[in-house]
Each structure stands twice: as structure tokens, then as C-alpha cells.
């Protein structure tokens, strides 16, 4: 009988396992549905370069429908799984929720940003886990430089030029390094601002950064960042962000215009909410065959799964792309074996080491026992990650971006308008209803500082006015 495989999540695990199935599965054996709220896989290790501008953000995203042509890709979120009934509740991006029946489940929903109950965090910090956040951060750096160059208010200027990143793992360190690289280049185009006017702080609760790497490389990175005038605060926590002021556990207060929260992730809550077996931190319990422990017809891998590490008995594989990609490839093969009633293979992969890019042509890399720093580390970071970019087209696009960024200076355009795409339109409509003085005939209800069209003044239907009101952002 033809099996229906449902893959929840189209990130590393979802995409690569589906790509494997696409190659291996015979027609008539199985059909595959991939569900993801974004509809594209994000190539996370290059997100920081998208902030810095050496890679175009679109090139770190692989559209699932295009890459998995011929497979069913649904855009939306699985909100609950009832594995007993072999059915999942699915909320599409538009329209009512529906149910998806399946025979075999693959849980690949990864992780979400880990929040802490810090006052002001939700209102004032920016996360760093998605392309949207990367684009926003890039715009924010450029917008803040422009704001600082345009004001004569010293407090506004100081705030705009103060950047704080919380979290000394890969994502925090790379984000800070690339933001600084971008800003250092952008200051050339602003009279009255020099790189030395900008304040950069990296806050890390542990006494070291980049824990995935050898301690020597973490120390080298701290020194490299400090040489670039980054204030690296080890053994320090963010305790408050109320009013946008970053208060650190050592008593320091920084009136920061930009605070990036990169303090780690936690497993997707979907598995626990669906009654599947999870460990104490919410990871789905997996066997070395990438099946869900004690559950028939269910598989898992990646950041959301506790996969036994056969090379380090008693431990679990770390949540990183190195394991996620390799697990996904085996997962694809094991799914085919499962459908065919054959034996599954165990996952075994010894840690190869890791790489991190620090902008400014610097990086750190650890490949087995070999440690590389500076330019060599940077080249290793780029070569390694380029190798894992999912398609030939994306590899070519990333290479072309690097070539352009190497030949010419970086593109400095900031496209904040994308984040408020309807603003000009609404403004134009509001001005269109003025008496010629530029003042609207009827004063519209202001929402978060945006001009809102007063449709009732134009005699239009109340339902349209209601639509406008709903679309206005909460203040
Ligand atoms: C900024 C950043 C930089 C990184 N850099 C590195 C690096 O340099 N090296 C390295 O090894 N690792 C790196 N990582 C870690 C690496 O990206 C992850 O380990 C990897 O993405 C895990 O793959 P995954 O498939 O488990 O999860 P993901 O790739 O996160 O995929 C999960 C997918 O599930 C989808 N999803 C979530 N909830 C639902 C739902 N309810 N229904 C349907 N779909 C859902 C999400 O939209 C997402 O597409 C980085 C991570 C970040 C955030």
C-alpha cells in the first residue's frame, strides 16, 4: 500500500530528508507532504553575512516548492499531532484549519528562540534566527547611522550608535561581527561619524564564548573582538531592558538603540504539546535509528530531537547544522528502508569541528585537531558552509555575491520601507482627502505614528473602514 509521509518542518532536516526521498522513493511506494510556515529553508550559517551585506538575503533561502518540485509542499503550521489517529491539525497561512491524515510522521520542527523573563526584552530586543530578523538588523544598523548623522541631540545620537548583542555562541558572535563590519564601512558615507563613535558590547553569561570550539579559539576570538573595540563582557547577564536601557548584572547601564538577543534556542514545543515522548528540556526522544523512541511510524532528527551520540555513549548529538544535515540524509534512507520493510541504519557521526566567520576577513575554524584563525579561519568558514548550501543555483548565487562584494564596496541601501510597505500608500490616500492644505479633511485615528486613511470621510462602506482599523498596528 502506498504510504503517506508527513514531514513537519522544512528546515535542514525537513528539506534534506525530503530531497533524499525524492531521489530514492519509487512511484507507488510513498507520497510525501512537507509542511512549513515560511515555505522556504533558511541557510542559518550565512544569516550573519546577510546582515553584513556580503550575501543577498534571498540567497540564503531555498524555496521548498522549487527545490522539492513534484512533492506536496503546504505553507502553514502544524498546531497539533494526534499520532494515535495518524492525523495532524494544520493551520494554513490563510483560511480555516484542516486535518492531514498520514501513515508515517517525521517531526522536524527544529527549535525556537529561548526567551527569559527579562523586563523589556520582548518590546526592545531583536531576535536573530530568521531572514526577516537579518534584514531588519541590517536596516536598523544603517538607519541608526543615518539618524545619528542627522541629529544634533547628543542623547539621540549616543543611543543610535550603541549596539548590544546578548549571547556569545555562533549566532551572537557572528551577528555582532557582521553588524560591526557593515557599520565600519557605512560610516564613510556619513559626515560627522567615525567608527570610534560607535559602541559595541557582547554580553555572555559564561566565562567563555563559542563553546562549540576549542577554548583556545574562543579566547582568540575574544582578543580579536577586543582589538576591534568590542567590549566583551564575560560572566555577565542582561537583567533588564525596561525602557530600552540595557542593564547588565555588573551594574552597567547602556542606553542602546539596538539590542540583539542571541542567547540560544529551545526545542519546538509541538512535540510536547502533542503528547509525544520528550526529555526534560522538551526534545523529542529519538533512537539511534532516528525513530521516535517507543512510538511506531514516527521519525525525528535535528535541533528538536534528543538523538543518542554513538561516538560519545550517554550523550546526545549537539543541535547544529553538521548533525542536522547528516541525520537528514540518513533519515531519508531509513524512511525508504522502513517503507520497504528493510533494516534501518544507526546514526553515527563523529564531530568534525566547527567554523565561525567574524567579518573583516577574519574567522576561526577547528577541523579535527587543526585550528585556524584570521584569514585562514575565514576562508575555511566560507568554503565549509558554501559546500552545504542546498542547491547548485544557491551556491552560484552566494559565490556571485561574494565576488561582487569583493570587487566593489558593499551595497549600502537600506530598505526599511519593505517593513512598512503600506505606509506610502496610506499617506497618499490621506493626503488625497485634504482640502489642499495637506491636512486631511477629517482627522484620522493615528496608529503607532502612521497616517491612517479615514474612509468614512470619503463616504465608503464601514466594512472597509473596519479593515483599515484592523490593519493598523497596535501602538
Ligand atoms: C543564526 C544562526 C546561525 C547558525 N550557524 C550555524 C553554524 O555556523 N554552524 C552550525 O553547525 N549550525 C549553525 N546553526 C544551527 C543550525 O542552523 C541548526 O542546527 C539547524 O538549522 C537545525 O536544523 P533543523 O531542521 O532541526 O531545524 P531548522 O533548520 O530550524 O528547521 C525547522 C523548520 O521547522 C519549521 N517549523 C517550526 N514549527 C513548525 C510547525 N509547527 N509546523 C510546521 N513547521 C514548523 C520552521 O519554520 C523551520 O523551517 C545556526 C543557527 C542560527 C539560528
Amino acid at each position: 500500500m502506498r504510504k503517506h509521509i508527513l514531514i513537519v518542518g522544512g528546515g535542514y532536516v525537513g528539506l534534506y530528508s525530503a530531497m533524499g526521498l525524492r531521489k530514492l522513493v519509487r512511484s507507488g511506494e510513498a507520497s510525501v507532504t512537507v509542511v512549513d510556515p515560511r515555505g522556504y529553508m533558511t541557510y542559518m550559517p550565512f544569516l550573519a553575512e546577510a546582515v553584513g551585506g556580503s550575501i543577498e538575503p534571498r540567497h540564503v533561502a531555498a524555496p521548498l516548492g522549487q527545490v522539492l518540485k513534484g512533492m506536496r509542499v503546504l505553507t502553514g503550521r502544524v498546531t497539533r499531532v494526534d499520532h494515535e489517529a495518524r492525523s495532524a491539525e494544520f493551520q494554513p497561512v490563510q483560511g480555516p484549519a484542516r486535518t492531514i491524515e498520514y501513515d508515517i510522521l517525521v517531526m522536524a520542527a527544529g527549535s525556537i528562540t529561548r526567551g527569559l523573563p527579562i523586563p523589556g526584552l520582548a518590546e526592545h530586543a531583536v531576535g536573530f534566527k530568521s531572514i526577516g530578523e537579518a534584514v531588519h538588523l541590517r536596516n536598523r544598523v544603517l538607519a541608526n547611522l543615518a539618524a545619528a548623522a542627522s541629529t544634533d541631540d547628543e542623547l539621540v545620537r549616543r543611543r543610535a550608535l550603541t549596539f548590544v548583542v546578548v549571547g556569545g555562541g555562533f549566532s551572537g558572535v557572528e551577528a555582532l561581527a557582521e553588524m560591526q563590519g557593515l557599520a565600519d564601512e557605512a560610516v564613510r558615507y556619513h559626515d560627522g561619524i567615525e567608527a570610534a563613535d560607535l559602541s559595541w558590547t557582547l554580553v555572555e553569561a559564561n566565562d567563555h564564548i563559542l563553546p562549540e570550539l576549542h577554548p583556545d579559539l574562543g579566547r582568540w576570538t575574544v582578543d580579536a573582538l577586543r582589538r576591534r573595540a568590542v567590549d566583551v563582557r564575560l560572566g555577565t547577564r542582561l537583567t533588564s531592558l525596561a525602557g530600552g536601557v540595557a542593564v547588565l548584572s555588573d551594574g552597567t547601564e547602556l542606553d542602546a538603540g539596538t539590542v540583539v538577543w542571541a542567547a540560544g534556542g529551545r526545542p519546538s514545543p509541538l512535540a510536547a504539546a502533542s503528547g509525544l515522548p520528550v526529555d526534560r528540556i522538551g526534545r523529542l526522544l529519538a533512537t539511534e535509528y532516528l525513530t521516535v523512541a517507543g512510538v511506531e511510524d514516527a521519525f525525528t532528527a535535528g535541533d528538536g530531537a534528543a538523538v543518542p551520540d554513538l561516538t560519545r555513549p550517554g550523550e546526545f548529538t549537539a543541535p547544529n547544522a553538521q548533525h542536522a544535515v547528516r541525520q537528514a540524509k540518513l533519515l531519508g534512507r531509513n524512511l525508504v528502508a522502513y517503507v520497504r520493510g528493510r533494516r534501518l541504519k544507526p546514526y553515527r557521526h563523529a564531530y568534525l569541528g566547527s567554523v565561525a566567520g567574524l567579518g573583516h576577513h577574519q574567522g576561526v575554524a577547528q577541523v579535527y585537531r587543526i585550528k585556524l584563525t584570521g584569514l585562514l579561519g575565514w576562508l575555511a568558514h566560507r568554503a565549509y558552509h558554501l559546500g552545504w548550501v542546498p542547491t547548485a543555483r544557491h551556491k552560484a548565487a552566494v559565490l556571485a555575491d561574494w565576488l561582487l562584494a569583493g570587487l566593489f564596496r558593499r551595497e549600502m541601501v537600506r530598505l526599511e520601507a519593505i517593513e512598512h510597505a503600506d505606509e506610502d500608500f496610506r499617506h497618499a490616500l490621506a493626503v488625497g482627502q485634504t482640502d489642499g492644505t495637506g491636512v486631511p479633511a477629517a482627522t484620522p485615528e493615528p496608529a503607532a505614528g502612521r497616517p491612517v486613511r479615514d474612509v468614512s470621510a470619503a463616504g465608503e462602506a464601514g466594512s472597509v473602514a473596519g479593515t483599515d482599523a484592523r490593519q493598523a498596528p497596535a501602538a
Side-chain angles (χ1 to χ4, degrees):
M1 195 189 77
R2 196 169 188 237
K3 300 283 187 192
H4 179 209
I5 301 173
L6 173 65
I7 302 182
V8 181
Y12 274 80
V13 171
L15 178 75
Y16 276 98
S17 59
M19 280 163 78
L21 285 170
R22 192 161 170 259
K23 238 188 268 165
L24 300 171
V25 93
R26 292 188 209 113
S27 65
E29 271 181 335
S31 64
V32 179
T33 300
V34 181
V35 177
D36 192 280
R38 297 190 186 122
Y40 56 79
M41 177 262 198
T42 306
Y43 191 76
M44 308 284 196
F46 281 155
L47 266 192
E49 292 212 24
V51 175
S54 37
I55 298 179
E56 163 68 36
R58 280 180 303 125
H59 298 157
V60 299
L64 298 173
Q66 199 174 359
V67 180
L68 300 175
K69 196 160 169 277
M71 284 182 161
R72 191 160 172 238
V73 174
L74 300 180
T75 308
R77 192 173 283 280
V78 168
T79 50
R80 205 174 166 278
V81 174
D82 180 352
H83 192 62
E84 285 282 293
R86 303 290 189 268
S87 76
E89 282 169 25
F90 168 61
Q91 178 58 60
V93 268
Q94 289 180 18
R98 47 183 277 223
T99 301
I100 303 174
E101 313 282 340
Y102 62 82
D103 300 300
I104 299 171
L105 175 70
V106 177
M107 290 289 281
S111 59
I112 59 173
T113 300
R114 182 170 54 114
L116 291 178
I118 295 174
L121 185 69
E123 296 82 8
H124 299 290
V126 182
F128 186 54
K129 205 178 182 317
S130 69
I131 291 180
E133 287 163 341
V135 170
H136 175 77
L137 269 181
R138 175 180 169 71
N139 288 334
R140 176 85 78 99
V141 170
L142 296 175
N144 280 8
L145 291 189
S150 311
T151 183
D152 54 9
D153 183 319
E154 192 43 42
L155 284 181
V156 171
R157 179 182 154 94
R158 181 93 319 270
R159 185 174 162 75
L161 297 181
T162 301
F163 299 85
V164 174
V165 175
V166 185
F170 278 121
S171 56
V173 169
E174 291 187 332
L176 182 139
E178 288 288 346
M179 281 160 65
Q180 193 193 33
L182 172 69
D184 284 354
E185 203 164 319
V187 291
R188 297 163 181 269
Y189 311 112
H190 292 293
D191 262 0
I193 306 184
E194 290 173 18
D197 297 335
L198 279 74
S199 155
W200 299 94
T201 305
L202 178 67
V203 181
E204 167 55 52
N206 290 313
D207 60 0
H208 57 279
I209 62 169
L210 298 178
E212 300 86 346
L213 291 171
H214 190 279
D216 287 350
L217 294 176
R219 281 191 286 270
W220 186 91
T221 306
V222 169
D223 291 343
L225 292 175
R226 284 183 174 154
R227 277 195 298 277
R228 285 194 216 164
V230 176
D231 182 357
V232 182
R233 303 277 179 115
L234 300 176
T236 309
R237 285 169 295 106
L238 176 74
T239 56
S240 170
L241 200 50
V245 177
V247 181
L248 309 185
S249 54
D250 61 7
T252 308
E253 292 194 7
L254 296 161
D255 191 8
T258 307
V259 176
V260 182
W261 178 257
R266 67 182 182 92
S268 157
L270 179 63
S274 300
L276 292 163
V278 293
D279 68 3
R280 67 180 171 77
I281 56 167
R283 287 177 304 186
L284 192 46
L285 289 176
T287 67
E288 62 268 41
Y289 301 100
L290 306 178
T291 56
V292 176
V295 180
E296 260 184 41
D297 301 335
F299 289 74
T300 190
D303 282 10
V307 177
D309 187 342
L310 296 184
T311 68
R312 296 180 307 152
E315 310 249 349
F316 297 97
T317 59
N320 59 37
Q322 194 179 126
H323 284 298
V325 170
R326 286 171 175 82
Q327 287 171 1
K329 291 191 164 192
L330 177 68
L331 180 54
R333 292 197 296 274
N334 274 356
L335 281 164
V336 174
Y338 190 73
V339 167
R340 292 179 186 161
R342 303 220 176 113
R343 283 168 66 119
L344 309 188
K345 293 213 166 116
Y347 177 74
R348 177 188 291 273
H349 168 68
Y351 178 66
L352 284 176
S354 271
V355 291
L358 303 175
H360 289 275
H361 300 115
Q362 287 192 317
V364 280
Q366 181 188 341
V367 187
Y368 296 113
R369 290 182 168 198
I370 303 167
K371 292 180 237 161
L372 302 171
T373 54
L375 182 63
L376 286 178
W378 180 74
L379 290 171
H381 152 79
R382 283 200 158 182
Y384 175 78
H385 285 308
L386 182 67
W388 284 107
V389 168
T391 69
R393 189 190 183 287
H394 283 80
K395 283 188 177 60
V398 168
L399 270 174
D401 287 343
W402 284 342
L403 189 68
L404 279 176
L407 289 176
F408 305 98
R409 289 205 178 280
R410 289 183 232 211
E411 179 65 75
M412 286 297 161
V413 66
R414 61 172 205 277
L415 296 176
E416 294 151 281
I418 293 174
E419 298 176 41
H420 315 284
D422 57 347
E423 229 165 49
D424 283 351
F425 177 67
R426 285 173 196 285
H427 181 68
L429 295 188
V431 169
Q433 292 166 32
T434 67
D435 55 9
T437 62
V439 179
T443 310
E445 191 72 18
R450 291 205 212 172
V452 175
R453 175 187 178 201
D454 181 1
V455 284
S456 60
E460 290 188 30
S463 61
V464 181
T467 307
D468 267 3
R470 277 198 304 277
Q471 286 173 351

